[in-house]
Amino acid sequence: VSIAQPFDPSAPDQQPESFAPTSETAGPSRLAFAARGLLRPVEALRAVPHLSTYAGMGLVIAGALLLLFTWVKVAGLGLVWTQIPYLISSGCSGVCLVAIGLTVISVAAKTEDARRRGSQMRELHELLAELRQMVETELHRDTRDSA
Amino acid sequence: VNTLGRTSDPAAPSLALFAAVAASGFVAIAVGWHVAATTRFVPSQIAALVSGGLAGVVLVLVGSVLVSVQAGRRSAALERRHTDDVLDEVGALVDAFRTLYNNDASDTEGSS
């Protein structure tokens, strides 16, 4: 199996056993085997529905918790020079985590919408191809009858 | 196709670059925090807050927005590809109907 082929876990010729290193292809096969081992958990995670949305929500919550932590620490200190490091480290990081979380949610929603629209377009394409095939069959029948 | 066996994505390099911009924002925040935590002189801390903290936040925001925009463009490109496939199929279908119509018209003229 070439390492350039996309991984298909259902394909019998792409099972992990077929990637055992041999004397001729020890280097690439070992690389592919390692890559396959790394990709397997990623594939399992990608199978979870709406995982990106949940991850984005988690980042937003983590950022909000960091901002809350910043407020608690800063409110308990009376000296400005002790407050500023908290403001920079956890305050700014909290804002950044919230922004990244919102971005992840936005990208996940856009990707999901595009996937659904693509599925609809593929279905429309298949229906049109079926209709064209019917018309061409009728055309061939007419041509044969007229001959 | 890359060596890891995944289909290559033309948007991947730019997405990685924008993610690196966002990650550099966290580095800037860490540097700003380090500078502010090692001095008790408030004017120096304010400078670290602005140059490290605020600049880091801006870098993260810029990187995030660019990632979002690029992901939207990638989705739009995929949709355009699907739309082109459908338009090609519609064109072929119209050609088939036109040929069928012309044959029917010539048959009618021949019989009359």
Side-chain angles (χ1 to χ4, degrees):
Chain A
V1 177
S2 168
I3 60 171
Q5 290 180 351
F7 176 56
D8 183 5
S10 62
D13 60 337
Q14 294 190 18
Q15 294 302 312
E17 287 76 13
S18 65
F19 283 88
T22 62
S23 58
E24 294 178 356
T25 59
S29 294
R30 194 169 293 148
L31 177 66
F33 189 73
R36 196 65 44 84
L38 289 174
L39 288 176
R40 191 171 294 130
V42 176
E43 295 289 338
L45 277 177
R46 290 179 69 172
V48 178
H50 306 297
L51 177 69
S52 302
T53 305
Y54 294 137
M57 290 170 66
L59 283 172
V60 171
I61 292 171
L65 288 176
L66 260 181
L67 291 175
L68 182 66
F69 170 78
T70 306
W71 171 73
V72 169
K73 297 299 286 187
V74 168
L77 297 171
L79 297 171
V80 174
W81 66 269
T82 57
Q83 291 176 324
I84 290 179
Y86 283 109
L87 188 62
I88 296 175
S89 59
S90 54
C92 292
S93 298
V95 172
C96 291
L97 281 182
V98 170
I100 290 176
L102 291 176
T103 302
V104 169
I105 292 173
S106 168
V107 170
K110 285 179 187 173
T111 305
E112 178 65 17
D113 288 344
R115 190 188 64 77
R116 288 183 182 173
R117 281 196 293 270
S119 172
Q120 289 175 332
M121 294 298 274
R122 272 195 300 274
E123 192 175 350
L124 179 61
H125 181 256
E126 288 170 4
L127 289 173
L128 287 171
E130 190 179 341
L131 182 59
R132 180 169 60 91
Q133 195 171 8
M134 291 167 62
V135 171
E136 286 176 350
T137 304
E138 184 69 22
L139 188 61
H140 291 154
R141 187 180 302 150
D142 283 357
T143 307
R144 197 171 55 238
D145 291 346
S146 63
Chain B
V1 178
N2 61 22
T3 55
L4 288 178
R6 311 296 299 176
T7 303
S8 59
D9 183 358
S14 55
L15 286 173
L17 176 66
F18 300 150
V21 170
S24 68
F26 284 102
V27 174
I29 289 172
V31 171
W33 166 78
H34 179 73
V35 171
T38 52
T39 180
R40 294 183 176 185
F41 190 51
V42 173
S44 297
Q45 288 184 322
I46 296 291
L49 170 66
V50 173
S51 62
L54 294 185
V57 170
V58 168
L59 279 174
V60 170
L61 288 177
V62 168
S64 300
V65 169
L66 289 176
V67 164
S68 178
V69 169
Q70 189 69 348
R73 293 186 69 225
R74 182 176 62 173
S75 299
L78 283 174
E79 287 179 34
R80 274 198 300 274
R81 200 180 67 190
H82 288 307
T83 306
D84 286 342
D85 289 343
V86 170
L87 288 176
D88 290 343
E89 196 60 46
V90 168
L93 183 63
V94 167
D95 286 343
F97 267 118
R98 187 178 293 132
T99 308
L100 184 66
Y101 175 77
N102 290 339
N103 284 358
D104 286 347
S106 61
D107 288 347
T108 307
E109 287 175 4
S111 62
S112 64

